[in-house]
């Protein structure tokens, strides 16, 4: 099974800061990597799909990059409404398996 | 607009079977090519994919839960269901149903989630 290692597990930053979260796969997953935002008491929201594609309606301050085993999620200028937990998720290119990272809890400093 | 709604008992006794249903509105399970999924989240913890089902009944399960999970679909009711047997306190979680944005991809559409507590 593919393991996803997400870091850091928590992060404190100031409004306007550039924030970066990383996710590493235990084997090559090409670009089959998504990023979600989850606010307390809410369902996750898909922000980035296939490593670098922004979902419709998602602000452009969010971005993703990477391929193979190493991936990065970036918020270019942190806003108060971005406070949430963020998860990476890999999926098999054919139906089979999804695996989530452990999550990164983002707080305002 | 596609909507998903989980329903089922909020309290299940240890060793019994957890049963949940996801009702889909704003779209037909049988007329669209997606693998519909179940995901859970224990209180204060991360997300875990449980399994997914196609309208034809084809299923894929998380290997860690496979021996206890059954996912089924009822196209006439536009619903799909989850059964998890022999539950323990470790199965206490918010259970979500979801639909990917494409055939097999990231989950774009989610239900609001339902908390199931396993306790005697």
């Amino acid at each position: 099974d593919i393991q996803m290692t997400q870091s850091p597990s928590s992060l404190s930053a100031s409004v306007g800061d550039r924030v970066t979260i990383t996710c590493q796969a235990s084997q090559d997953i090409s670009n089959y990597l998504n990023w979600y935002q989850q606010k307390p008491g809410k369902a996750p929201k898909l922000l980035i799909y296939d490593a670098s594609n922004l979902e419709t309606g998602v602000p452009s301050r969010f971005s993703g990059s990477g391929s193979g085993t190493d991936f990065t999620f970036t918020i270019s200028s942190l806003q108060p409404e971005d406070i949430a937990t963020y998860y990476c998720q890999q999926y098999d290119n054919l139906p089979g398996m999804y695996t989530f990272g452990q999550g990164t809890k983002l707080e305002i400093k | 607009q596609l909507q998903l709604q989980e329903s089922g008992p909020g309290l299940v006794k240890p060793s019994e079977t957890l049963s949940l249903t996801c009702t889909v509105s704003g779209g037909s399970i049988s007329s669209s090519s997606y693998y519909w999924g179940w995901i859970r989240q224990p209180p204060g913890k991360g997300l875990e994919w449980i399994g997914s089902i196609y309208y034809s009944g084809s299923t894929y399960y998380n290997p860690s839960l496979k021996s206890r999970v059954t996912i089924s679909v009822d196209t006439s009711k536009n619903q799909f269901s989850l059964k998890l047997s022999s539950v323990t306190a470790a199965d206490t979680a918010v259970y979500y149903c979801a639909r990917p944005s494409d055939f097999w991809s990231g989950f774009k559409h989610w239900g609001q989630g339902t908390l199931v507590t396993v306790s005697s």
Side-chain angles (χ1 to χ4, degrees):
Chain A
D1 291 353
I2 298 173
Q3 306 301 316
M4 303 302 296
T5 303
Q6 185 175 340
S7 61
S9 56
S10 63
L11 177 57
S12 182
S14 300
V15 172
D17 281 355
R18 183 180 183 87
V19 171
T20 298
I21 298 168
T22 64
C23 200
Q24 185 172 58
S26 58
Q27 63 188 70
D28 189 339
I29 60 170
S30 184
N31 66 333
Y32 299 113
L33 192 286
N34 305 310
W35 290 96
Y36 295 83
Q37 175 193 67
Q38 186 180 33
K39 295 185 178 181
K42 300 294 186 181
K45 176 184 178 182
L46 181 63
L47 300 181
I48 304 283
Y49 64 95
D50 295 347
S52 60
N53 297 291
L54 200 64
E55 265 293 334
T56 303
V58 173
S60 59
R61 64 180 180 274
F62 296 101
S63 65
S65 64
S67 66
T69 61
D70 295 303
F71 301 87
T72 300
F73 172 81
T74 301
I75 306 174
S76 60
S77 178
L78 184 66
Q79 299 302 303
E81 60 267 30
D82 300 336
I83 297 313
T85 300
Y86 293 84
Y87 294 92
C88 64
Q89 176 207 45
Q90 75 84 23
Y91 65 102
D92 293 347
N93 61 330
L94 295 174
M97 182 74 183
Y98 290 96
T99 305
F100 288 92
Q102 300 91 329
T104 296
K105 186 174 183 179
L106 178 56
E107 298 175 327
I108 291 284
K109 192 180 294 184
Chain B
Q1 181 176 341
L2 188 73
Q3 292 188 326
L4 296 87
Q5 179 68 57
E6 305 88 352
S7 60
L11 181 64
V12 180
K13 289 183 169 55
S15 80
E16 295 189 345
T17 296
L18 178 159
S19 296
L20 295 174
T21 295
C22 182
T23 300
V24 178
S25 58
S28 171
I29 284 181
S30 58
S31 66
S32 48
S33 297
Y34 304 99
Y35 268 87
W36 303 79
W38 286 100
I39 299 99
R40 71 178 183 176
Q41 184 172 38
K45 296 187 179 181
L47 300 163
E48 180 179 35
W49 173 72
I50 300 170
S52 295
I53 189 165
Y54 196 59
Y55 75 90
S56 64
S58 171
T59 53
Y60 289 89
Y61 298 133
N62 189 323
S64 69
L65 297 169
K66 187 174 183 177
S67 64
R68 298 194 293 129
V69 173
T70 302
I71 298 176
S72 59
V73 63
D74 187 337
T75 55
S76 67
K77 295 182 179 179
N78 222 30
Q79 296 175 334
F80 61 105
S81 298
L82 168 70
K83 291 188 184 299
L84 181 65
S85 64
S86 304
V87 297
T88 69
D91 295 310
T92 294
V94 174
Y95 286 77
Y96 295 99
C97 59
R99 197 210 81 180
S101 53
D102 203 345
F103 175 70
W104 180 271
S105 60
F107 291 106
K108 182 173 182 177
H109 303 278
W110 294 71
Q112 64 185 22
T114 187
L115 174 63
V116 179
T117 301
V118 178
S119 176
S120 55

